[in-house]
Amino acid sequence: MSGSFVYSEKPIQIEGGEGPYLYDDAGNEYLDFGASYGVATVGHCHPEVVSAVQSQMEELTFVQASYPNAARDALYEKLAAVAPDGLENVWLCNSGTEANEAALKFARSATGNSKVVAAMQGFHGRTMGALSATWKSKYKQPFEPLAGDFEFVPYGDEEALAEAVDDETAAVLLEPIQGEGGVNPAPEDYLQVAREVTNQTGSALILDEIQTGLGRTGALWACEKRGVTPDLLTSAKGLGGGLPVGATLCADWIAEDAGPHGSTFSGGPVVSAAAEATLSIIAEENIPKDASEVGDHLQSKLRGSELPIRAVRGEGLLLGVEVKRGANRLLKRLAMDHGILALPAGRTVVRLLPPLVVEESHADEVVAALEAVLAEAKA
Ligand SMILES: *Cc1c(COP(=O)(O)O)cnc(C)c1O
């Protein structure tokens, strides 16, 4: 077996990228409306990210995290500056699942408890701990037994959540909007209730903002729109502008008793420089505001259209279009006939998760292409 035996390869060979576009080996252009699994938040090959990485590469490629380093310190400072108030303690790692692993470990250590309450349809990553907090049995069943003491409640059900959380609960782990699980925004007061019940029991509230964060929903963090500050917040995907970096932001009471943890590559200078540049771009280019405006435009176009769809859900540029039949066939036609790459979120949802630098004209292009492929599918 050669190459990847995990991913089913797509019949397009991508060799270049710029902004929201990808280019195949024949020079054909594709609009990357899935941002390559949500990574290309500031677009592909953003010149400021490229230049930050190039200069840092020449200075120092790597040094372990126990030696202070200016690039890493700059990222610590930047993350602390943009973190929700009170979450200025930063742990750096290499991916989303690792950011969640750390959050789970820190919460268990700081509370002395083990039980974690997570949500049905939730997705938190593929390593054993984060996988244990993930809902879909397809992802879990072949690898059991997983980590113990995880309990699932229906997402959005305030009473079920309040009932599940008790004095033995280490943490409640939730996405502010479920991404992979079908693009399901939390009902209005749900995160507030999660905050209240965890406060009452002394449990930690962990919000997984790996997909919702960095401006995608119209605020830098989706929890800010709900007026809720968790005890731990995880970020990854777009954080490194294309390079692998994840972060766990935590409150003082967590950081003070986080337990022993570490990772060889934590806060390497090159990924730190990339992430610092990415966060600067997000602030300077006012990206959350654009995501909100273009997202609203896209959402109203989708709703106003004659598209044979069941529902449109989401906020900003994290949108799910629920279709009547399998999403994968539509995604293939979007790619092959219209040069538009998007993602599924379950069997019947087309997930639109573009780079946050897209404009209304790109959104219009996607709606027109969806109209065409859906008309064809019906014929
Ligand atoms: C993608 C994702 C993860 C996992 O991130 P990886 O970098 O793939 O490990 C975790 N949580 C959410 C909400 C995600 O969207």
Side-chain angles (χ1 to χ4, degrees):
M1 249 185 261
S2 66
S4 173
F5 59 91
V6 172
Y7 292 101
S8 59
E9 280 187 22
K10 306 222 172 345
I12 304 170
Q13 177 150 339
I14 300 296
E15 299 294 351
E18 192 183 350
Y21 295 107
L22 287 170
Y23 299 92
D24 70 13
D25 50 350
N28 297 306
E29 184 178 272
Y30 298 86
L31 183 58
D32 187 10
F33 240 65
S36 293
Y37 289 151
V39 167
T41 295
V42 296
H44 292 280
C45 295
H46 194 291
E48 283 165 39
V49 174
V50 171
S51 124
V53 168
Q54 279 173 340
S55 346
Q56 184 56 52
M57 274 303 275
E58 286 167 19
E59 219 48 61
L60 178 65
T61 307
F62 187 74
V63 64
Q64 70 193 62
S66 53
Y67 296 109
N69 165 264
R72 187 187 320 107
D73 286 346
L75 178 57
Y76 282 151
E77 244 173 68
K78 191 88 183 187
L79 275 168
V82 302
D85 278 351
L87 301 187
E88 284 83 18
N89 305 284
V90 182
W91 157 253
L92 294 173
C93 57
N94 315 288
S95 66
T97 198
E98 282 173 81
N100 283 336
E101 290 291 336
L104 292 168
K105 285 176 73 177
F106 296 165
R108 280 186 167 184
S109 173
T111 60
N113 287 323
S114 63
K115 187 172 98 174
V116 174
V117 177
M120 294 176 184
Q121 266 71 52
F123 181 85
H124 301 290
R126 313 271 196 161
T127 51
M128 289 296 190
L131 186 59
S132 305
T134 290
W135 167 249
K136 227 188 241 179
S137 74
K138 183 178 97 169
Y139 296 153
K140 301 200 284 193
Q141 190 272 327
F143 311 113
E144 285 169 354
L146 301 178
D149 233 357
F150 285 77
E151 183 179 333
F152 291 91
V153 292
Y155 187 71
D157 183 335
E158 296 172 8
E159 269 172 44
L161 182 64
E163 217 162 281
V165 179
D166 56 30
D167 292 344
E168 319 264 88
T169 305
V172 170
L173 169 58
L174 296 169
E175 297 159 87
I177 300 174
Q178 293 186 322
E180 228 269 343
V183 188
N184 312 311
E188 188 66 27
D189 296 326
Y190 188 57
L191 297 183
Q192 199 73 52
V193 169
R195 181 65 284 179
E196 282 159 21
V197 297
T198 46
N199 279 344
Q200 279 158 16
T201 55
S203 322
L205 176 62
I206 308 172
L207 290 180
D208 177 343
E209 293 243 20
I210 290 165
Q211 192 157 153
T212 54
L214 302 172
R216 182 159 294 283
T217 68
L220 189 62
W221 309 110
C223 64
E224 292 173 332
K225 291 175 76 181
R226 299 293 206 282
V228 169
T229 305
D231 302 295
L232 298 113
L233 182 154
T234 53
S235 178
K237 287 204 159 87
L239 180 59
L243 269 65
V245 55
T248 306
L249 312 179
C250 38
D252 291 344
W253 73 273
I254 300 282
E256 278 156 16
D257 195 10
H261 190 58
S263 169
T264 299
F265 282 116
S266 174
V270 175
V271 296
S272 293
E276 203 278 331
T278 302
L279 289 168
S280 298
I281 294 161
I282 289 171
E284 280 157 23
E285 297 187 6
N286 209 354
I287 276 183
K289 184 166 162 284
D290 290 350
S292 163
E293 285 171 6
V294 178
D296 285 353
H297 172 81
L298 176 56
Q299 203 166 154
S300 70
K301 273 242 155 172
L302 287 166
R303 287 184 200 285
S305 69
E306 298 287 291
L307 290 171
I309 53 180
R310 286 185 202 278
V312 180
R313 294 188 293 269
E315 289 172 28
L317 288 170
L318 169 51
L319 295 179
V321 182
E322 174 114 36
V323 292
K324 293 178 180 165
R325 280 185 260 162
N328 273 322
R329 226 166 57 107
L330 294 174
L331 288 167
K332 188 164 180 194
R333 294 271 57 91
L334 277 178
M336 302 314 287
D337 304 341
H338 300 273
I340 290 167
L341 311 180
L343 298 167
R347 219 177 50 79
T348 56
V349 177
V350 171
R351 184 170 27 151
L352 304 175
L353 190 72
L356 305 184
V357 297
V358 292
E359 294 169 7
E360 291 187 358
S361 58
H362 296 117
D364 295 345
E365 210 180 302
V366 170
V367 176
L370 267 172
E371 268 164 354
V373 296
L374 282 161
E376 244 169 66
K378 226 171 62 175

